[in-house]
Amino acid sequence: MKLKELNGIGEKTEKIFNRAGIYSVEDLLTYYPRYYDTYEQPVLIRNLEADKTQAVRGKIVRELSLRRVRKLQIVEAYIRDEEGNGIKAVWFNAPYIKNVLHHGDILIFRGYVHENRGTYVIDQPKTFSSDQYQKKMGEMQPVYPLVSGLTNNMVLKAVKQAFSLLSPKEKIPLEIRKKFNLQDIEGALHNIHFPKENNDFHIARKRLVFEEFFRFIITLRELKQQNEIARNQHILHEPEELKRIIAHLGFQLTNAQMRTWEEIKKDISSEKVMNRLIQGDVGSGKTIVAVLALLTVALNGEQGAMMAPTEVLARQHFEYITELISKNELNITPAILVGSMTAREKRETCELIASGKADIIIGTHALIQENVLYHNLALVVTDEQHRFGVKQRETIFEKGNYPHTMVMSATPIPRTLAIIMYGDLDISIIDELPSGRKPIANCVVGTEYRPKAYHFIEKQVQEGRQAYVICPTVEYSEAVEGENVIEYAEKLQAVLPPDIKVDFLHGRMKAKEKNQKMEAFAENQIQVLVSTTVVEVGVNVPNATVMMVENAERFGLAQLHQLRGRVGRGGNQSYCIFINGSGKKDASQRLEILNQSNDGFFIASEDLKLRGPGDFFGVRQSGDFEFKIGDIMNDAKVLKDAAHAVDLIENKEVSISEEERALIYNVDKKNINI
Ligand code: ADP
Ligand code: MG
């Protein structure tokens, strides 16, 4: 059903909804709240606590003031409660507030309280009469993820209308729902949007998570069945040149790399098509193993493709392979295909691919677009695979004549979960780091440590090394606290000597610009790179030895571990500085886990223990698996249940009707993100 059929949604509003990923009335039902707001009893000013949303009842003691700071318009009000204590309230870019609120008004102010130079300030409070507030108390108000132009109220109204127009279809068989104690779909969807109490939410969420995992597992099983019947159409043998290439890599392959390489060789020369996951912690050297496979394919006269999640990474792989080919004087043509190329460049590359002139093709999602036709695709490698969907894996599968597939991942997940998540794949594990790596030296410190850190970075740069500084946000915003890349880079450049070049990188930049900056950093034209987490995935600049993370408390430990993996990639001692910007002790405690271990798997499981699996709105454990609502670590039990349910159905151990079966095996794969 079209969005425009809802009251209050015209063409313009429809576009705004589209930007949030909502294209139909059906989509609204699964546009889940990010969290719920509950309105608590107002407190006295002397009982307020910092860094928390709270409500106070008070009187405005003078007319509001309006001032400008840079591009910001700031309205301020002074409020006094019944005991005579005062607090300041501020609103940003909302000058109309000055005409709405006046001296003498007695209201309830609800907002985020923070400390500013020793006194408390209440940020952008919403105001209510006592009656209004009384009504809100005790309700759980859904808070939706928003994009600019979209307000919570717009979503709320649309969702309410959607419920009155649609009745969602039940896709989990009754017997399964009974056995695993799952709510029906209608109730679950209703309660995820409008829970009366916490328990409603938990019951609803469990059902929806289950369904998400359930569908995912069914898709995997279908893939697996396809794999099992497919005969190997590309029987590949190790070419003569390969031994020479391996001997001249400039390093000795580790035992784990050798073992993995042997497993791959065995697969691709066998009767069956290879579908293999290469799991190895950051820095374990997965790339070279993939590259050996690609060279083997090319030397056998067929085509191999490698997909990376970002352009920066694709370019890096391309350059590495190109260099290796020319160093070894191989008769192989590499090509690159990425989104930022001009239409003409793309067309030319596509011709090379279609004619078979290009032997090894590196790229991003662009590689699986419809207009890309392959001549004889025999191998597809996806680097950091979790960022690609099962659906995409299928698409690429269809591009060739049953090509071999290899997926590489650094995501540390327990074996029991890996078996489910990668149910359609065989697994090789690279569980050894290249020799000669010095363990990274870590520290977790407060913001007062910054001057020392800057001095340290300066010294490292003088020794010829480079540094990353990671900030959580791109640019200044009142709504989100924390350091931002743009201002930070400016600040840092001012502190460091002018011959040290500081520059920045973030995800909102154009792909071309990102590539340029990353290349400049790789060539040491930039010594200090201030960046968001766009560098998290796989980038390799072995000369970088310092990773400083601002507001480290904002990141999941698994993510911080990935970031840490950007350094320690060469022979030099590397350092990681995690800045706890919150000053809170429990945040420091959590970050200390990173000190205890360099083992990604250990870190992820400790993080989970510390926070407990109930922490649904906290940092995502495994942001890599982009399920809409489920989280494989936090919801591990539900994931196992869902796998069990699929087993029961496949083994016909539950009775389900034909109609129910048809619904299960006819899932819409577009909605499965993995
Ligand atoms: P990841 O597994 O995180 O993708 P990479 O493949 O990017 O790691 O490898 C990290 C770095 O280690 C690269 O600079 C690579 O050239 C180097 N490397 C890979 N294997 C070895 C090895 N056996 N000995 C020494 N260095 C290696
Ligand atoms: Mg990698």
Side-chain angles (χ1 to χ4, degrees), residues 526-576:
I526 295 169
Q527 284 78 44
V528 182
L529 187 66
V530 181
S531 172
T532 53
T533 54
V534 291
V535 299
E536 170 198 349
V537 191
V539 170
N540 189 34
V541 180
N543 191 44
T545 53
V546 185
M547 169 59 69
M548 174 170 174
V549 185
E550 286 284 354
N551 297 106
E553 76 282 0
R554 294 284 192 82
F555 299 98
L557 292 189
Q559 198 177 15
L560 290 171
H561 178 64
Q562 276 278 343
L563 284 169
R564 173 162 65 184
R566 298 310 110 217
V567 296
R569 301 187 141 241
N572 295 301
Q573 174 65 52
S574 291
Y575 307 87
C576 231

Short mmCIF file of all heavy atoms in Angstrom, two decimals, residues 526-576:
data_model
loop_
_atom_site.label_atom_id
_atom_site.label_comp_id
_atom_site.label_asym_id
_atom_site.label_seq_id
_atom_site.Cartn_x
_atom_site.Cartn_y
_atom_site.Cartn_z
N ILE A 526 50.01 12.56 4.43
CA ILE A 526 49.28 12.96 5.63
C ILE A 526 49.87 12.11 6.76
O ILE A 526 50.01 10.90 6.60
CB ILE A 526 47.78 12.64 5.50
CG1 ILE A 526 47.15 13.48 4.39
CG2 ILE A 526 47.05 12.86 6.82
CD1 ILE A 526 45.74 13.03 4.01
N GLN A 527 50.23 12.76 7.89
CA GLN A 527 50.83 11.97 8.96
C GLN A 527 49.81 11.58 10.03
O GLN A 527 49.91 10.52 10.64
CB GLN A 527 51.99 12.73 9.61
CG GLN A 527 53.26 12.74 8.78
CD GLN A 527 53.21 13.76 7.64
OE1 GLN A 527 52.76 14.89 7.84
NE2 GLN A 527 53.62 13.36 6.46
N VAL A 528 48.84 12.48 10.24
CA VAL A 528 47.83 12.16 11.25
C VAL A 528 46.46 12.22 10.60
O VAL A 528 46.07 13.26 10.07
CB VAL A 528 47.90 13.14 12.45
CG1 VAL A 528 46.87 12.76 13.51
CG2 VAL A 528 49.30 13.17 13.04
N LEU A 529 45.75 11.13 10.63
CA LEU A 529 44.45 11.08 10.00
C LEU A 529 43.36 11.03 11.06
O LEU A 529 43.29 10.08 11.84
CB LEU A 529 44.35 9.84 9.09
CG LEU A 529 43.08 9.78 8.24
CD1 LEU A 529 43.05 10.91 7.22
CD2 LEU A 529 42.99 8.43 7.53
N VAL A 530 42.54 12.09 11.10
CA VAL A 530 41.42 12.12 12.03
C VAL A 530 40.22 11.59 11.27
O VAL A 530 39.91 12.08 10.18
CB VAL A 530 41.16 13.55 12.53
CG1 VAL A 530 40.00 13.57 13.52
CG2 VAL A 530 42.41 14.14 13.17
N SER A 531 39.57 10.58 11.81
CA SER A 531 38.57 9.89 11.01
C SER A 531 37.42 9.36 11.85
O SER A 531 37.55 9.18 13.06
CB SER A 531 39.25 8.73 10.28
OG SER A 531 38.31 7.92 9.64
N THR A 532 36.30 9.12 11.20
CA THR A 532 35.25 8.33 11.86
C THR A 532 35.63 6.87 11.65
O THR A 532 36.72 6.57 11.17
CB THR A 532 33.88 8.58 11.20
OG1 THR A 532 34.01 8.36 9.80
CG2 THR A 532 33.39 9.98 11.46
N THR A 533 34.72 5.98 11.97
CA THR A 533 35.08 4.56 11.89
C THR A 533 35.14 4.04 10.47
O THR A 533 35.25 2.84 10.27
CB THR A 533 34.09 3.71 12.70
OG1 THR A 533 32.80 4.02 12.24
CG2 THR A 533 34.20 3.97 14.16
N VAL A 534 35.09 4.91 9.47
CA VAL A 534 35.22 4.40 8.09
C VAL A 534 36.53 3.64 7.87
O VAL A 534 36.62 2.84 6.97
CB VAL A 534 35.09 5.47 6.98
CG1 VAL A 534 33.68 5.98 6.89
CG2 VAL A 534 36.07 6.60 7.16
N VAL A 535 37.53 3.92 8.70
CA VAL A 535 38.79 3.19 8.52
C VAL A 535 38.76 1.81 9.19
O VAL A 535 39.69 1.05 9.08
CB VAL A 535 40.03 3.94 9.06
CG1 VAL A 535 40.21 5.26 8.36
CG2 VAL A 535 39.95 4.11 10.55
N GLU A 536 37.64 1.55 9.85
CA GLU A 536 37.58 0.33 10.65
C GLU A 536 37.76 -0.94 9.83
O GLU A 536 38.38 -1.90 10.26
CB GLU A 536 36.22 0.30 11.36
CG GLU A 536 35.88 -0.97 12.03
CD GLU A 536 34.38 -1.03 12.31
OE1 GLU A 536 33.70 0.01 12.16
OE2 GLU A 536 33.91 -2.10 12.65
N VAL A 537 37.20 -0.95 8.64
CA VAL A 537 37.17 -2.19 7.88
C VAL A 537 38.42 -2.39 7.03
O VAL A 537 38.55 -1.83 5.96
CB VAL A 537 35.95 -2.23 6.95
CG1 VAL A 537 35.79 -3.62 6.39
CG2 VAL A 537 34.71 -1.81 7.68
N GLY A 538 39.33 -3.19 7.53
CA GLY A 538 40.36 -3.75 6.69
C GLY A 538 41.47 -2.89 6.10
O GLY A 538 42.35 -3.42 5.45
N VAL A 539 41.44 -1.58 6.30
CA VAL A 539 42.46 -0.76 5.66
C VAL A 539 43.86 -1.11 6.18
O VAL A 539 44.04 -1.41 7.35
CB VAL A 539 42.16 0.74 5.89
CG1 VAL A 539 43.32 1.59 5.43
CG2 VAL A 539 40.91 1.12 5.15
N ASN A 540 44.82 -1.09 5.30
CA ASN A 540 46.17 -1.52 5.67
C ASN A 540 47.21 -0.44 5.38
O ASN A 540 47.57 -0.20 4.25
CB ASN A 540 46.50 -2.79 4.87
CG ASN A 540 47.78 -3.44 5.35
OD1 ASN A 540 48.09 -3.41 6.54
ND2 ASN A 540 48.52 -4.01 4.42
N VAL A 541 47.67 0.24 6.44
CA VAL A 541 48.78 1.18 6.31
C VAL A 541 49.80 0.78 7.38
O VAL A 541 49.75 1.26 8.51
CB VAL A 541 48.33 2.65 6.49
CG1 VAL A 541 49.51 3.61 6.36
CG2 VAL A 541 47.26 3.02 5.48
N PRO A 542 50.70 -0.13 7.03
CA PRO A 542 51.58 -0.71 8.05
C PRO A 542 52.47 0.31 8.76
O PRO A 542 52.94 0.06 9.86
CB PRO A 542 52.45 -1.70 7.26
CG PRO A 542 51.69 -1.97 6.01
CD PRO A 542 50.91 -0.74 5.71
N ASN A 543 52.66 1.48 8.16
CA ASN A 543 53.51 2.49 8.79
C ASN A 543 52.80 3.22 9.95
O ASN A 543 53.43 3.93 10.71
CB ASN A 543 53.99 3.50 7.74
CG ASN A 543 55.08 4.40 8.28
OD1 ASN A 543 56.01 3.92 8.94
ND2 ASN A 543 54.97 5.70 8.05
N ALA A 544 51.50 3.06 10.05
CA ALA A 544 50.76 3.72 11.14
C ALA A 544 50.97 2.94 12.43
O ALA A 544 50.78 1.73 12.47
CB ALA A 544 49.28 3.80 10.80
N THR A 545 51.37 3.65 13.49
CA THR A 545 51.67 2.95 14.74
C THR A 545 50.85 3.44 15.93
O THR A 545 50.94 2.88 17.01
CB THR A 545 53.16 3.12 15.12
OG1 THR A 545 53.46 4.51 15.11
CG2 THR A 545 54.06 2.37 14.14
N VAL A 546 50.09 4.54 15.72
CA VAL A 546 49.28 5.02 16.85
C VAL A 546 47.82 5.05 16.46
O VAL A 546 47.45 5.56 15.40
CB VAL A 546 49.69 6.45 17.29
CG1 VAL A 546 48.91 6.86 18.54
CG2 VAL A 546 51.18 6.54 17.54
N MET A 547 46.99 4.48 17.31
CA MET A 547 45.54 4.56 17.14
C MET A 547 45.01 5.20 18.40
O MET A 547 45.11 4.64 19.49
CB MET A 547 44.97 3.14 16.97
CG MET A 547 43.45 3.03 17.04
SD MET A 547 42.54 3.99 15.84
CE MET A 547 42.92 3.15 14.32
N MET A 548 44.49 6.44 18.25
CA MET A 548 43.92 7.11 19.41
C MET A 548 42.42 7.20 19.17
O MET A 548 41.99 7.66 18.11
CB MET A 548 44.55 8.51 19.52
CG MET A 548 43.95 9.38 20.59
SD MET A 548 44.99 10.87 20.78
CE MET A 548 43.99 11.79 21.95
N VAL A 549 41.62 6.74 20.12
CA VAL A 549 40.17 6.75 19.94
C VAL A 549 39.53 7.68 20.95
O VAL A 549 39.61 7.45 22.16
CB VAL A 549 39.57 5.33 20.07
CG1 VAL A 549 38.08 5.35 19.76
CG2 VAL A 549 40.28 4.35 19.16
N GLU A 550 38.92 8.75 20.45
CA GLU A 550 38.19 9.67 21.33
C GLU A 550 36.81 9.08 21.62
O GLU A 550 36.24 8.40 20.77
CB GLU A 550 38.04 11.03 20.65
CG GLU A 550 39.33 11.84 20.61
CD GLU A 550 39.68 12.48 21.97
OE1 GLU A 550 38.86 12.39 22.91
OE2 GLU A 550 40.78 13.05 22.08
N ASN A 551 36.28 9.37 22.80
CA ASN A 551 34.97 8.85 23.21
C ASN A 551 34.89 7.34 22.98
O ASN A 551 33.90 6.83 22.44
CB ASN A 551 33.83 9.53 22.46
CG ASN A 551 33.75 11.02 22.75
OD1 ASN A 551 34.13 11.84 21.92
ND2 ASN A 551 33.30 11.35 23.94
N ALA A 552 35.93 6.66 23.41
CA ALA A 552 35.98 5.21 23.20
C ALA A 552 34.78 4.53 23.84
O ALA A 552 34.34 3.47 23.39
CB ALA A 552 37.28 4.65 23.76
N GLU A 553 34.23 5.16 24.87
CA GLU A 553 33.09 4.56 25.57
C GLU A 553 31.86 4.44 24.66
O GLU A 553 30.93 3.70 24.96
CB GLU A 553 32.75 5.37 26.83
CG GLU A 553 32.01 6.70 26.61
CD GLU A 553 32.91 7.85 26.14
OE1 GLU A 553 34.13 7.63 25.97
OE2 GLU A 553 32.37 8.96 25.93
N ARG A 554 31.86 5.14 23.55
CA ARG A 554 30.74 5.10 22.63
C ARG A 554 30.75 3.89 21.72
O ARG A 554 29.80 3.65 20.97
CB ARG A 554 30.78 6.31 21.70
CG ARG A 554 30.57 7.60 22.37
CD ARG A 554 29.10 7.76 22.67
NE ARG A 554 28.88 9.12 23.07
CZ ARG A 554 28.74 10.11 22.20
NH1 ARG A 554 28.73 9.87 20.93
NH2 ARG A 554 28.58 11.32 22.62
N PHE A 555 31.85 3.18 21.68
CA PHE A 555 31.98 2.10 20.72
C PHE A 555 31.87 0.74 21.39
O PHE A 555 32.20 0.59 22.56
CB PHE A 555 33.33 2.19 20.01
CG PHE A 555 33.54 3.46 19.24
CD1 PHE A 555 34.26 4.51 19.80
CD2 PHE A 555 33.00 3.62 17.98
CE1 PHE A 555 34.46 5.70 19.09
CE2 PHE A 555 33.19 4.80 17.27
CZ PHE A 555 33.92 5.83 17.82
N GLY A 556 31.43 -0.23 20.63
CA GLY A 556 31.43 -1.61 21.12
C GLY A 556 32.87 -2.10 21.18
O GLY A 556 33.72 -1.63 20.43
N LEU A 557 33.14 -3.01 22.09
CA LEU A 557 34.51 -3.48 22.22
C LEU A 557 35.00 -4.19 20.98
O LEU A 557 36.15 -4.08 20.59
CB LEU A 557 34.65 -4.40 23.44
CG LEU A 557 34.47 -3.76 24.81
CD1 LEU A 557 34.86 -4.75 25.89
CD2 LEU A 557 35.30 -2.50 24.95
N ALA A 558 34.09 -4.92 20.33
CA ALA A 558 34.49 -5.64 19.13
C ALA A 558 34.92 -4.62 18.05
O ALA A 558 35.89 -4.83 17.33
CB ALA A 558 33.35 -6.50 18.62
N GLN A 559 34.20 -3.51 18.03
CA GLN A 559 34.52 -2.47 17.07
C GLN A 559 35.87 -1.82 17.41
O GLN A 559 36.69 -1.56 16.53
CB GLN A 559 33.41 -1.43 17.10
CG GLN A 559 33.39 -0.56 15.89
CD GLN A 559 32.22 0.42 15.91
OE1 GLN A 559 31.59 0.63 16.95
NE2 GLN A 559 31.94 1.00 14.78
N LEU A 560 36.09 -1.58 18.69
CA LEU A 560 37.37 -1.00 19.10
C LEU A 560 38.52 -1.94 18.75
O LEU A 560 39.60 -1.52 18.37
CB LEU A 560 37.36 -0.69 20.60
CG LEU A 560 36.46 0.47 21.01
CD1 LEU A 560 36.35 0.55 22.53
CD2 LEU A 560 36.97 1.79 20.47
N HIS A 561 38.24 -3.21 18.89
CA HIS A 561 39.27 -4.20 18.55
C HIS A 561 39.59 -4.13 17.05
O HIS A 561 40.74 -4.22 16.65
CB HIS A 561 38.79 -5.59 18.96
CG HIS A 561 39.74 -6.68 18.62
ND1 HIS A 561 41.00 -6.75 19.19
CD2 HIS A 561 39.65 -7.71 17.76
CE1 HIS A 561 41.63 -7.80 18.67
NE2 HIS A 561 40.84 -8.39 17.81
N GLN A 562 38.57 -3.96 16.25
CA GLN A 562 38.77 -3.79 14.80
C GLN A 562 39.62 -2.54 14.53
O GLN A 562 40.51 -2.56 13.70
CB GLN A 562 37.42 -3.60 14.10
CG GLN A 562 36.71 -4.88 13.76
CD GLN A 562 37.24 -5.50 12.48
OE1 GLN A 562 37.92 -4.84 11.69
NE2 GLN A 562 36.97 -6.78 12.29
N LEU A 563 39.28 -1.47 15.24
CA LEU A 563 40.04 -0.23 15.06
C LEU A 563 41.49 -0.44 15.45
O LEU A 563 42.41 0.00 14.76
CB LEU A 563 39.42 0.89 15.90
CG LEU A 563 38.13 1.50 15.34
CD1 LEU A 563 37.47 2.40 16.37
CD2 LEU A 563 38.41 2.29 14.07
N ARG A 564 41.69 -1.11 16.55
CA ARG A 564 43.04 -1.38 17.01
C ARG A 564 43.82 -2.17 15.95
O ARG A 564 45.01 -2.01 15.78
CB ARG A 564 42.98 -2.15 18.32
CG ARG A 564 44.34 -2.62 18.79
CD ARG A 564 44.32 -2.98 20.24
NE ARG A 564 43.46 -4.12 20.52
CZ ARG A 564 43.23 -4.58 21.75
NH1 ARG A 564 43.77 -3.98 22.79
NH2 ARG A 564 42.44 -5.62 21.94
N GLY A 565 43.08 -3.00 15.21
CA GLY A 565 43.70 -3.80 14.15
C GLY A 565 44.28 -2.99 13.01
O GLY A 565 44.99 -3.52 12.16
N ARG A 566 43.99 -1.69 12.97
CA ARG A 566 44.57 -0.84 11.93
C ARG A 566 46.04 -0.55 12.20
O ARG A 566 46.75 -0.09 11.32
CB ARG A 566 43.82 0.50 11.81
CG ARG A 566 42.37 0.43 11.40
CD ARG A 566 42.15 -0.42 10.20
NE ARG A 566 41.46 -1.65 10.54
CZ ARG A 566 41.70 -2.82 9.99
NH1 ARG A 566 42.63 -2.96 9.08
NH2 ARG A 566 41.03 -3.88 10.36
N VAL A 567 46.48 -0.72 13.44
CA VAL A 567 47.91 -0.54 13.73
C VAL A 567 48.51 -1.89 14.10
O VAL A 567 47.80 -2.91 14.17
CB VAL A 567 48.16 0.51 14.85
CG1 VAL A 567 47.68 1.88 14.40
CG2 VAL A 567 47.49 0.09 16.15
N GLY A 568 49.80 -1.91 14.28
CA GLY A 568 50.47 -3.18 14.58
C GLY A 568 50.56 -4.07 13.36
O GLY A 568 50.62 -5.28 13.45
N ARG A 569 50.55 -3.46 12.16
CA ARG A 569 50.56 -4.24 10.94
C ARG A 569 51.95 -4.28 10.30
O ARG A 569 52.13 -4.87 9.24
CB ARG A 569 49.57 -3.66 9.95
CG ARG A 569 48.19 -3.64 10.52
CD ARG A 569 47.18 -3.23 9.48
NE ARG A 569 46.01 -4.05 9.68
CZ ARG A 569 45.49 -4.88 8.80
NH1 ARG A 569 46.02 -5.00 7.61
NH2 ARG A 569 44.44 -5.59 9.09
N GLY A 570 52.89 -3.60 10.92
CA GLY A 570 54.25 -3.64 10.39
C GLY A 570 55.19 -4.13 11.47
O GLY A 570 54.76 -4.72 12.47
N GLY A 571 56.47 -3.88 11.30
CA GLY A 571 57.44 -4.37 12.28
C GLY A 571 57.60 -3.45 13.48
O GLY A 571 58.21 -3.82 14.48
N ASN A 572 57.03 -2.24 13.42
CA ASN A 572 57.25 -1.29 14.51
C ASN A 572 56.28 -1.49 15.67
O ASN A 572 55.13 -1.88 15.47
CB ASN A 572 57.08 0.15 13.98
CG ASN A 572 58.14 0.49 12.97
OD1 ASN A 572 59.33 0.45 13.25
ND2 ASN A 572 57.70 0.79 11.75
N GLN A 573 56.77 -1.17 16.86
CA GLN A 573 55.91 -1.21 18.04
C GLN A 573 54.73 -0.25 17.81
O GLN A 573 54.91 0.88 17.38
CB GLN A 573 56.71 -0.77 19.26
CG GLN A 573 55.89 -0.63 20.53
CD GLN A 573 55.32 -1.95 21.01
OE1 GLN A 573 56.03 -2.92 21.16
NE2 GLN A 573 54.00 -2.00 21.20
N SER A 574 53.51 -0.72 18.08
CA SER A 574 52.34 0.14 17.90
C SER A 574 51.62 0.38 19.22
O SER A 574 51.79 -0.37 20.19
CB SER A 574 51.37 -0.49 16.91
OG SER A 574 51.93 -0.46 15.63
N TYR A 575 50.82 1.45 19.22
CA TYR A 575 50.19 1.90 20.47
C TYR A 575 48.73 2.24 20.23
O TYR A 575 48.35 2.75 19.19
CB TYR A 575 50.90 3.16 20.97
CG TYR A 575 52.39 2.99 21.09
CD1 TYR A 575 53.22 3.21 19.99
CD2 TYR A 575 52.96 2.56 22.29
CE1 TYR A 575 54.59 3.03 20.08
CE2 TYR A 575 54.33 2.37 22.39
CZ TYR A 575 55.14 2.61 21.28
OH TYR A 575 56.48 2.42 21.38
N CYS A 576 47.94 1.97 21.25
CA CYS A 576 46.53 2.29 21.18
C CYS A 576 46.16 3.12 22.39
O CYS A 576 46.45 2.72 23.52
CB CYS A 576 45.74 0.99 21.20
SG CYS A 576 44.59 0.92 19.90
#
